[in-house]
Amino acid sequence: MNVTSIPCLRDNYAYLVVCKETNQAGIVDPSEAGPVLRAVQRSGADLVAILNTHHHWDHIGGNKELLQRYPSLKVYGHGSDKGRIDGQTQFLEADESFALGKLEVRVLHNPGHTTGAVSYVIEDCVFTGDTMFAAGCGRLFEGTPQMMYDSLCKVIGGLPRQTKVYFGHEYTENNLRFAAKLEPDNTAVATKLGAARKQRSEGEFTTPSTLADEWSTNPFMRVDSATIQAAVKLADPSNDLSPVNVLGVVRGMKDRF
Ligand code: ZN
Ligand code: FE
């Protein structure tokens, strides 16, 4: 498999995934058609599918134009997103699989940011949309802290630590600044923040991350950290410090960061 990261809009990423054996390709979250079409043409791949992680406009904005250009595309999204994803043809449920060329794509249902949010697992990669970012997670627009906790720490977090995490937005530097403020004694955060600053100053992408990196730097997955728990207790003295309630308070702090 080949994965190409395609910057779209202000800070979105679409990803072109090509099966090397068949040259068939899928595009994850085409925010807009222009940059995606150019990447498809450059690759010479045969685009057969759109893989939408959720219904937000900045992840499906290119669907219509891509369908005009390639009318037989299959358009994948969660079953509950029926009516919310332009051109959707495939209505997915948790843990089902489908083929992209000879690649097997496994569907994780990870509600929290939206109720229909999914991630796609292909070989040793996961495409997480706005559920898991490098050192962050999406806002809880339609879900609860419990849902986001399960999605991050159990569903996506259940994948092997070496899994590469391809996320939906270049928010890494800001996320790591928040993580460093919340957990100043975390050297993994400090090191990764330095690396991300350097990458961004040189115009490089910070995607992909790895699950190992997320376990060591993502404050929404580090709800067991004594330092994070102390910060939560300070902000919310009656918090019982259960993982879900820690995540809920950290999410609120990040919303105001
Ligand atoms: Zn979104
Ligand atoms: Fe988004």
Side-chain angles (χ1 to χ4, degrees):
M1 151 172 85
N2 259 325
V3 181
T4 306
S5 307
I6 307 165
C8 292
L9 304 175
R10 207 164 68 100
D11 51 32
N12 279 81
Y13 287 117
Y15 297 104
L16 183 67
V17 179
V18 183
C19 167
K20 283 197 215 170
E21 240 181 284
T22 62
N23 203 37
Q24 293 196 332
I27 183 78
V28 179
D29 283 353
S31 315
E32 52 178 340
V36 167
L37 285 169
R38 286 192 289 279
V40 170
Q41 275 149 18
R42 247 193 326 269
S43 73
D46 171 19
L47 189 67
V48 297
I50 295 174
L51 281 59
N52 290 125
T53 61
H54 65 296
H55 72 286
H56 284 158
W57 68 274
D58 60 314
H59 299 258
I60 66 165
N63 280 23
K64 275 186 181 160
E65 207 177 321
L66 289 175
L67 276 164
Q68 281 166 10
R69 195 67 164 265
Y70 303 95
S72 57
L73 289 178
K74 285 188 176 168
V75 180
Y76 292 89
H78 191 256
S80 69
D81 272 340
K82 191 168 195 167
R84 307 208 287 186
I85 292 177
D86 292 333
Q88 185 174 4
T89 61
Q90 313 301 122
F91 303 89
L92 302 166
E93 295 302 334
D95 299 319
E96 84 179 73
S97 294
F98 59 90
L100 176 65
K102 294 241 168 109
L103 300 169
E104 187 193 31
V105 183
R106 190 155 66 88
V107 180
L108 305 180
H109 182 214
N110 42 218
H113 177 61
T114 66
T115 49
V118 294
S119 294
Y120 296 100
V121 181
I122 312 174
E123 293 183 344
D124 63 345
C125 302
V126 62
F127 299 86
T128 57
D130 289 355
T131 299
M132 183 185 289
F133 298 128
C137 71
R139 286 178 188 252
L140 301 178
F141 285 125
E142 298 178 353
T144 61
Q146 178 77 57
M147 286 177 185
M148 187 55 96
Y149 173 74
D150 289 341
S151 293
L152 293 177
C153 294
K154 304 228 162 103
V155 178
I156 301 173
L159 296 169
R161 292 172 61 86
Q162 68 272 17
T163 306
K164 298 186 187 88
V165 179
Y166 287 90
F167 44 84
H169 287 270
E170 181 60 65
Y171 292 159
T172 305
E173 202 179 322
N174 179 270
N175 285 346
L176 285 165
R177 282 199 297 110
F178 173 74
K181 194 179 157 205
L182 196 65
E183 206 181 5
D185 56 351
N186 184 331
T187 53
V189 167
T191 304
K192 191 157 180 178
L193 177 55
R197 282 190 168 130
K198 185 163 183 292
Q199 285 173 308
R200 294 308 292 155
S201 71
E202 291 167 359
E204 289 172 17
F205 310 146
T206 64
T207 189
S209 181
T210 62
L211 262 189
D213 265 23
E214 294 317 305
W215 284 117
S216 64
T217 61
N218 192 318
F220 299 94
M221 297 170 74
R222 297 185 53 72
V223 288
D224 296 334
S225 150
T227 308
I228 290 181
Q229 291 186 355
V232 165
K233 202 74 183 166
L234 208 61
D236 177 22
S238 65
N239 196 292
D240 67 0
L241 301 182
S242 69
V244 172
N245 289 331
V246 170
L247 183 145
V249 169
V250 172
R251 187 59 263 178
M253 291 169 146
K254 180 64 169 58
D255 289 345
R256 294 184 297 274
F257 178 68

